[in-house]
Amino acid sequence: MNRVGIGYDVHRLVEGRKLILGGVEIPHHLGLDGHSDADVLIHAIADALLGAIGSSDIGHHFPNSDPKWKNVSSLVFLHEIRVMLQKKGAMINNIDATLIAEAPKIVPHIPAMKKALAEALIVTMDRIGIKATTNETMGFVGRKEGISAFAVASVELP
Ligand code: MG
Protein backbone atom coordinates (compact mmCIF):
# COMPACT_ATOMS: atom_id res chain seq x y z
CA MET A 1 0.00 0.00 0.00
CA ASN A 2 1.44 3.32 -1.06
CA ARG A 3 1.27 6.11 1.50
CA VAL A 4 2.36 9.73 1.28
CA GLY A 5 3.25 12.28 3.94
CA ILE A 6 3.89 16.01 3.99
CA GLY A 7 6.26 18.01 6.18
CA TYR A 8 6.97 21.70 6.74
CA ASP A 9 9.42 23.46 9.01
CA VAL A 10 10.94 26.86 9.59
CA HIS A 11 13.81 28.11 11.75
CA ARG A 12 15.12 31.56 12.52
CA LEU A 13 18.53 32.70 11.20
CA VAL A 14 20.77 34.02 13.98
CA GLU A 15 24.40 34.90 14.61
CA GLY A 16 26.69 32.47 16.39
CA ARG A 17 25.20 29.26 15.01
CA LYS A 18 26.41 26.93 12.27
CA LEU A 19 24.19 26.63 9.20
CA ILE A 20 23.35 22.96 8.75
CA LEU A 21 21.03 21.97 5.91
CA GLY A 22 20.40 18.41 4.81
CA GLY A 23 23.11 17.21 7.18
CA VAL A 24 25.72 19.44 5.52
CA GLU A 25 27.48 22.43 7.09
CA ILE A 26 27.21 25.40 4.75
CA PRO A 27 29.56 28.38 5.11
CA HIS A 28 27.46 31.42 6.09
CA HIS A 29 27.66 34.24 8.64
CA LEU A 30 24.33 33.15 10.16
CA GLY A 31 22.98 29.78 11.27
CA LEU A 32 19.58 28.37 12.19
CA ASP A 33 18.43 28.64 15.78
CA GLY A 34 16.87 25.67 17.54
CA HIS A 35 17.22 23.01 20.19
CA SER A 36 18.91 20.50 17.88
CA ASP A 37 21.14 21.65 15.00
CA ALA A 38 17.90 23.18 13.60
CA ASP A 39 18.32 21.46 10.23
CA VAL A 40 15.08 22.71 8.73
CA LEU A 41 15.33 20.46 5.66
CA ILE A 42 15.76 17.27 7.68
CA HIS A 43 12.92 18.31 10.02
CA ALA A 44 10.53 18.73 7.08
CA ILE A 45 11.62 15.37 5.62
CA ALA A 46 11.27 13.71 9.04
CA ASP A 47 7.67 14.92 9.36
CA ALA A 48 6.87 13.78 5.81
CA LEU A 49 8.18 10.28 6.58
CA LEU A 50 6.39 10.14 9.94
CA GLY A 51 3.18 11.33 8.29
CA ALA A 52 3.44 8.65 5.62
CA ILE A 53 3.46 5.89 8.25
CA GLY A 54 0.68 7.55 10.27
CA SER A 55 2.96 8.41 13.17
CA SER A 56 3.05 11.47 15.41
CA ASP A 57 5.27 14.37 14.39
CA ILE A 58 8.94 15.09 15.02
CA GLY A 59 8.17 17.22 18.09
CA HIS A 60 6.49 14.20 19.69
CA HIS A 61 9.37 11.81 19.04
CA PHE A 62 12.22 14.26 19.68
CA PRO A 63 10.84 16.95 22.04
CA ASN A 64 12.84 20.17 22.39
CA SER A 65 12.27 19.92 26.14
CA ASP A 66 14.51 16.81 26.22
CA PRO A 67 18.21 17.61 26.87
CA LYS A 68 19.04 14.39 24.99
CA TRP A 69 18.36 16.19 21.68
CA LYS A 70 20.19 19.44 22.53
CA ASN A 71 22.54 20.40 19.67
CA VAL A 72 22.24 16.88 18.26
CA SER A 73 22.70 16.33 14.52
CA SER A 74 19.29 15.97 12.90
CA LEU A 75 20.77 13.05 10.96
CA VAL A 76 20.24 11.18 14.25
CA PHE A 77 16.48 11.85 13.93
CA LEU A 78 16.53 10.44 10.40
CA HIS A 79 18.37 7.37 11.61
CA GLU A 80 15.74 6.82 14.34
CA ILE A 81 12.92 7.31 11.85
CA ARG A 82 14.53 4.83 9.44
CA VAL A 83 14.44 2.26 12.26
CA MET A 84 10.73 3.06 12.86
CA LEU A 85 10.02 2.54 9.15
CA GLN A 86 11.97 -0.70 9.15
CA LYS A 87 9.93 -2.01 12.12
CA LYS A 88 6.75 -1.40 10.10
CA GLY A 89 8.27 -3.04 7.00
CA ALA A 90 8.01 0.31 5.20
CA MET A 91 10.16 1.10 2.14
CA ILE A 92 10.82 4.65 0.96
CA ASN A 93 9.74 5.13 -2.65
CA ASN A 94 10.95 8.70 -2.82
CA ILE A 95 11.30 11.96 -0.95
CA ASP A 96 11.02 15.36 -2.53
CA ALA A 97 11.81 18.59 -0.75
CA THR A 98 12.09 22.32 -1.41
CA LEU A 99 14.24 24.68 0.62
CA ILE A 100 13.24 28.33 0.61
CA ALA A 101 16.14 30.61 1.45
CA GLU A 102 17.12 34.07 0.29
CA ALA A 103 20.80 33.41 1.13
CA PRO A 104 23.20 31.68 0.92
CA LYS A 105 23.17 29.92 -2.44
CA ILE A 106 21.90 26.38 -1.80
CA VAL A 107 22.29 24.71 -5.20
CA PRO A 108 26.07 24.00 -5.00
CA HIS A 109 25.46 22.00 -1.80
CA ILE A 110 22.58 19.85 -3.03
CA PRO A 111 24.69 16.84 -4.14
CA ALA A 112 26.34 16.65 -0.68
CA MET A 113 22.91 16.94 1.02
CA LYS A 114 21.47 14.15 -1.12
CA LYS A 115 24.45 11.96 -0.24
CA ALA A 116 24.10 12.61 3.51
CA LEU A 117 20.34 11.98 3.48
CA ALA A 118 20.65 8.85 1.32
CA GLU A 119 23.27 7.44 3.69
CA ALA A 120 21.15 8.18 6.80
CA LEU A 121 18.05 6.59 5.29
CA ILE A 122 19.91 3.80 3.45
CA VAL A 123 18.34 4.56 0.09
CA THR A 124 19.89 5.42 -3.26
CA MET A 125 20.42 9.11 -4.02
CA ASP A 126 17.98 9.01 -6.94
CA ARG A 127 15.13 8.55 -4.44
CA ILE A 128 15.82 11.95 -2.89
CA GLY A 129 14.90 15.21 -4.58
CA ILE A 130 16.04 18.55 -3.20
CA LYS A 131 15.19 21.83 -4.81
CA ALA A 132 15.95 25.36 -3.70
CA THR A 133 14.27 28.66 -4.34
CA THR A 134 14.20 32.16 -2.89
CA ASN A 135 11.13 34.01 -1.67
CA GLU A 136 11.76 36.87 -4.14
CA THR A 137 12.72 39.15 -1.19
CA MET A 138 9.19 38.95 0.24
CA GLY A 139 8.16 38.05 3.79
CA PHE A 140 10.37 36.71 6.60
CA VAL A 141 12.34 34.42 4.29
CA GLY A 142 12.81 37.29 1.86
CA ARG A 143 14.11 39.50 4.69
CA LYS A 144 16.60 36.71 5.54
CA GLU A 145 15.07 36.23 9.00
CA GLY A 146 14.73 32.51 8.51
CA ILE A 147 14.75 29.50 6.20
CA SER A 148 11.79 27.23 5.54
CA ALA A 149 11.39 23.83 3.93
CA PHE A 150 8.62 21.66 2.53
CA ALA A 151 8.88 17.93 1.92
CA VAL A 152 6.77 15.05 0.72
CA ALA A 153 7.54 11.37 1.13
CA SER A 154 6.08 8.34 -0.61
CA VAL A 155 6.40 5.12 1.34
CA GLU A 156 5.37 1.55 0.54
CA LEU A 157 3.77 -0.21 3.49
CA PRO A 158 3.10 -3.96 3.53
MG1 MG B 1 12.44 22.16 13.32
Side-chain angles (χ1 to χ4, degrees), residues 21-71:
L21 292 171
V24 175
E25 186 177 337
I26 294 172
H28 195 47
H29 67 289
L30 302 172
L32 293 174
D33 196 21
H35 184 68
S36 64
D37 64 359
D39 189 328
V40 69
L41 177 60
I42 288 187
H43 294 184
I45 289 171
D47 264 350
L49 288 168
L50 289 168
I53 60 167
S55 181
S56 307
D57 66 18
I58 186 172
H60 170 84
H61 292 287
F62 314 103
N64 61 14
S65 53
D66 189 341
K68 184 177 171 187
W69 310 120
K70 180 132 180 80
N71 293 323

Side-chain angles (χ1 to χ4, degrees), residues 1 13 23 31 41 44 51-52 59 66 94 101 116 123 125 131 133 145-146 155 158:
M1 176 177 48
L13 277 166
L41 177 60
D66 189 341
N94 76 305
V123 295
M125 280 171 65
K131 290 159 277 87
T133 186
E145 293 167 12
V155 166

Side-chain angles (χ1 to χ4, degrees), residues 9-11 43:
D9 197 25
V10 60
H11 281 269
H43 294 184

